[in-house]
Amino acid sequence: MPMVPSQTDDTKPRATLRTVTSRRPGRPSDPISSTLKLDEGIDFHAQVAKTVREQHSPVLVVLSGGDTGVRCRLRGTMLIGRDPDADLTLSDAGVSFRHARIEDRDDAWAIVDLGNTNDTQLNGVASPEFLLHSDDRISFGATQVRFEVQDAVEQAYDAMLDRLINVDELTGLWVRRRFDNELRTLIEGALLKNAPLGLLVMDLDGVKAINDANGHLFGAYVIGEAGRVIGEVIGERGIASRFGGDEYVVAVPGADLNAATVIGEEIRTAINVNAFAHDGIALHPGISIGVASCPMHGTDAETLFRAADEALYRAKQNGKNRVSQ
């Protein structure tokens, strides 16, 4: 499945704790007491704090800007900025390369401005350093981010919402908007590191014939199953998206033109050998793939995509179900 770049970290809730005495033997009324195992010589308050931290989780939610909807769970000190290697990478031009740092201070979370033209602001106030509380709003340039502390139910809801926003329901791949944001970040990182990045644009062959012969539910099945196969082939090597109908796009950091072509052949072979069957009917789609590479064919997403799309056209013109550069 797509890599969904993973950006995560841990929690520091600000709860007022009190000791609750169980009213029935063996049935503690306080969930903290029920999960807390006291060891001789261990500080009780430290154990309570540890238990509370394990039952809650802090998260940053991007509320505005080009990265709206991105969620970053905290599990330690992390960097925020336009740096592609930051823990939370923001595409806002008003955000500095290394804009701010969130620090885990055991009993609290703090945000530290790293000295930028556009100050880091908390709830509209600028300062070099803040302690964070749940529902605080942090401004980086024109981007607003909310700091939340979530319990288990809220975490499950957050995970569901994240999937609804970022994942294509039919294929399990990223939606185009999320892919485009990540692609820009990957290209910037490739240019900074003087490293290649491969882009593959793909179009299934034979879907119209499948629809005409069996109905559109069969075509939808093929599109979804093909997306699953593409995600499995790419794995952790890159990111993948369905960007419309039966078309897909994949980006692979570190892959030059030849390496990206090899990956394209892996995908084509996997589609050809996969047992597509729906309601007992065997289906036989193919896939045409166009390949381009940054910086060889372009140093921005639009130019790079256009080069890969032109290669896809050549694959179609030369007989379909093949990979072209």
Side-chain angles (χ1 to χ4, degrees):
M1 299 298 296
M3 174 180 138
V4 175
S6 162
Q7 309 182 79
T8 54
D9 281 290
D10 216 30
T11 197
K12 289 11 178 225
R14 303 172 185 279
T16 300
L17 302 176
R18 60 191 179 88
T19 301
V20 178
T21 302
S22 173
R23 288 182 287 272
R24 295 177 60 187
R27 296 285 299 277
S29 59
D30 182 6
I32 292 176
S33 299
S34 67
T35 59
L36 194 61
K37 179 181 179 181
L38 292 180
D39 296 318
E40 187 176 355
I42 300 298
D43 181 82
F44 173 76
H45 295 289
Q47 288 193 62
V48 170
K50 179 177 183 296
T51 301
V52 171
R53 288 167 58 97
E54 291 173 349
Q55 293 178 353
H56 295 75
S57 180
V59 63
L60 296 179
V61 180
V62 181
L63 301 177
S64 65
D67 306 290
T68 299
V70 170
R71 286 162 161 73
C72 181
R73 202 160 295 283
L74 308 182
R75 289 194 172 88
T77 297
M78 60 177 285
L79 176 68
I80 299 170
R82 286 190 300 106
D83 184 347
D85 291 329
D87 300 285
L88 174 58
T89 302
L90 299 174
S91 58
D92 182 353
V95 174
S96 297
F97 196 71
R98 293 173 175 264
H99 197 105
R101 182 176 64 247
I102 287 191
E103 297 181 350
D104 180 350
R105 297 185 176 176
D106 289 332
D107 61 342
W109 290 91
I111 185 160
V112 178
D113 184 85
L114 298 180
N116 308 285
T117 303
N118 295 323
D119 295 329
T120 301
Q121 297 186 5
L122 184 75
N123 302 322
V125 178
S127 176
E129 182 174 321
F130 303 94
L131 291 179
L132 293 172
H133 300 79
S134 189
D135 296 327
D136 276 344
R137 294 199 178 192
I138 313 163
S139 297
F140 308 102
T143 299
Q144 275 207 355
V145 176
R146 184 171 61 221
F147 175 80
E148 298 179 357
V149 177
Q150 300 177 336
D151 61 22
V153 172
E154 291 167 327
Q155 292 174 47
Y157 173 80
D158 194 61
M160 179 188 69
L161 188 61
D162 182 71
R163 184 173 180 84
L164 288 173
I165 292 173
N166 294 306
V167 178
D168 175 63
E169 183 178 2
L170 183 60
T171 63
L173 303 177
W174 275 355
V175 297
R176 181 68 186 273
R177 175 191 55 78
R178 176 65 186 274
F179 179 91
D180 287 347
N181 287 342
E182 294 293 334
L183 177 60
R184 284 190 288 269
T185 298
L186 290 177
I187 290 174
E188 185 174 357
L191 296 174
L192 285 170
K193 298 173 183 177
N194 195 28
L197 180 140
L199 189 73
L200 298 85
V201 175
M202 295 164 274
D203 187 13
L204 286 178
D205 301 319
V207 174
K208 183 179 185 304
I210 291 171
N211 285 337
D212 290 345
N214 305 286
H216 284 79
L217 289 179
F218 286 78
Y221 159 76
V222 168
I223 291 169
E225 179 70 2
R228 182 192 63 77
V229 171
I230 291 168
E232 286 187 352
V233 172
I234 296 304
E236 300 296 318
R237 293 184 291 180
I239 58 175
S241 170
R242 180 168 78 109
F243 69 93
D246 55 0
E247 300 167 311
Y248 311 84
V249 60
V250 164
V252 185
D256 61 14
L257 185 62
N258 289 333
T261 301
V262 170
I263 293 170
E265 286 291 354
E266 289 180 33
I267 293 172
R268 190 186 69 82
T269 299
I271 293 292
N272 286 180
V273 303
N274 188 70
F276 289 89
H278 188 57
D279 285 350
I281 298 176
L283 306 167
H284 304 284
I287 190 166
S288 297
I289 303 174
V291 182
S293 182
C294 170
M296 178 184 291
H297 295 100
T299 56
D300 63 83
E302 291 74 19
T303 304
L304 192 60
F305 184 88
R306 185 162 52 248
D309 198 43
E310 290 171 356
L312 171 62
Y313 178 78
R314 290 192 289 274
K316 292 283 191 182
Q317 290 295 102
N318 290 328
K320 300 182 179 180
N321 196 32
R322 64 191 61 218
V323 181
S324 292
Q325 298 180 349

